[in-house]
Amino acid sequence: MEKSGAIIVNVSQAKEVMPHRSYIDDDLALFSSFEEVPLSTEVRKMNCLFVALCLEGSAQYTVDTKEHMVHKYDVIVVNNGQVISDYMLSRDCKGVAIMGSNDFFAEIIKEVHEISQLFLFAYAHPVFSLKPEKAGTFMEYFNLIRQKVDDQEHHFRRELAMSLLKAMIYDIGNEIYQRQVASPKRTRAEMIFNKFILLVKENFRTERRVGWYGQQLCITPKYLSETVKQVSRRTPNEWIDHYVTLEIRVLLKNSSMSIKEIAEKLHFPNQSFLGKYFKEHVGMSPSKYRRS
């Protein structure tokens, strides 16, 4: 439980509630029924990516204080850091869901061009509909992934699940992309947010000042902060920290660079400063994270 009082939702917590389901370590969970998903009317903060498909009936939930209704063939995407509450299902509601840890998802999409940018669309549009044939494709992916996850004797179980999820993400990303193309009239706030995120992705290794990003966008830091918070429910600093900590995690897990070298690469004053920053945002030291 964190300071705000919101219960943290992640794969590890889901395993405690529903231990006999489809899991890969504390990184991936698949639920063949909405009733298995560890959500309720209580306030809960997502410490993972959550993607679900409604197959029958309806559901409602609140994300970052905004209420959403879900109907047949609607896809639900809830991103890491968002707060969900008032999760309620109709009696005839049926659906499936996938929950992935931040590191697991980051590893899957690290080489997937544009996908992370497309998923930002979900912050403003967390529910979107699929045509029946596309919903069928979603279910084909889901059933195949679950089948491979449940095959405990498969030597490449984890890698295979990641490859299938990557393909699934491409398909979902395409649906999001088509909606962006079909709806080019985005609000000024959405356009500023998208430009800000692109700037952060290109410059977070060297620039972490909100004022610098406002200057590049020719707006004041205050206006940038208000706009980004309005669209994404996160502050510019939270987005910058997100990309910085994600990069540190990837380098710690997938490179032989020393912590000192990582500090230099990301332009921290020194290794100690990076250690304090990482522990503040992740909850453990870089060395402990690397060993975990």
Side-chain angles (χ1 to χ4, degrees), residues 29-33 96-98 137-147 168:
L30 290 96
F31 305 96
S32 56
S33 169
V96 298
I98 299 172
T137 301
F138 186 109
M139 286 306 301
E140 288 174 6
Y141 278 121
F142 179 88
N143 290 328
L144 184 55
I145 294 168
R146 185 179 61 179
Q147 177 188 334
M168 186 182 191

Side-chain angles (χ1 to χ4, degrees), residues 74-254:
D74 280 351
V75 171
I76 309 116
V77 180
V78 185
N79 283 281
N80 173 54
Q82 293 191 295
V83 176
I84 189 169
S85 62
D86 303 321
Y87 178 76
M88 291 180 283
L89 310 174
S90 66
R91 289 187 176 182
D92 60 341
C93 187
K94 296 180 181 178
V96 298
I98 299 172
M99 189 181 290
S101 72
N102 303 324
D103 291 347
F104 190 73
F105 180 67
E107 191 173 348
I108 291 173
I109 69 167
K110 64 183 178 182
E111 296 175 354
V112 182
H113 181 60
E114 289 188 337
I115 288 295
S116 59
Q117 180 189 348
L118 290 172
F119 266 93
L120 293 172
F121 177 83
Y123 275 93
H125 309 86
V127 178
F128 58 90
S129 299
L130 295 180
K131 293 179 180 178
E133 61 269 23
K134 294 293 185 181
T137 301
F138 186 109
M139 286 306 301
E140 288 174 6
Y141 278 121
F142 179 88
N143 290 328
L144 184 55
I145 294 168
R146 185 179 61 179
Q147 177 188 334
K148 299 305 178 184
V149 168
D150 289 342
D151 186 359
Q152 298 287 335
E153 296 182 359
H154 199 300
H155 182 67
F156 299 103
R157 172 171 162 263
R158 181 185 181 90
E159 291 78 8
L160 186 53
M162 291 179 70
S163 296
L164 291 169
L165 275 166
K166 182 181 287 189
M168 186 182 191
I169 289 167
Y170 269 122
D171 263 353
I172 295 175
N174 180 63
E175 290 300 305
I176 295 172
Y177 176 77
Q178 296 301 329
R179 280 160 176 74
Q180 287 182 318
V181 171
S183 304
K185 294 182 180 179
R186 288 178 289 180
T187 65
R188 172 170 166 76
E190 288 177 330
M191 288 190 287
I192 289 174
F193 173 65
N194 286 342
K195 289 179 180 178
F196 166 71
I197 291 297
L198 287 175
L199 274 173
V200 172
K201 289 180 67 176
E202 292 172 1
N203 299 281
F204 70 86
R205 295 172 185 85
T206 57
E207 289 293 343
R208 293 190 267 277
R209 294 175 295 116
V210 175
W212 184 87
Y213 289 97
Q215 192 174 37
Q216 305 309 304
L217 294 169
C218 301
I219 56 178
T220 66
K222 182 180 179 182
Y223 184 65
L224 174 61
S225 296
E226 291 172 348
T227 303
V228 170
K229 187 73 180 289
Q230 174 193 334
V231 174
S232 70
R233 307 299 193 276
R234 281 184 175 184
T235 66
N237 278 323
E238 286 175 322
W239 277 111
I240 295 166
D241 291 337
H242 167 75
Y243 280 100
V244 174
T245 54
L246 185 60
E247 180 77 354
I248 298 172
R249 286 179 176 188
V250 170
L251 291 173
L252 287 171
K253 289 288 188 180
N254 300 292

Side-chain angles (χ1 to χ4, degrees), residues 257-276:
M257 295 176 67
S258 68
I259 297 173
K260 181 181 179 182
E261 289 172 330
I262 294 173
E264 291 172 353
K265 181 180 177 66
L266 296 180
H267 292 79
F268 280 92
N270 51 56
Q271 179 178 333
S272 176
F273 196 95
L274 180 142
K276 291 177 182 177

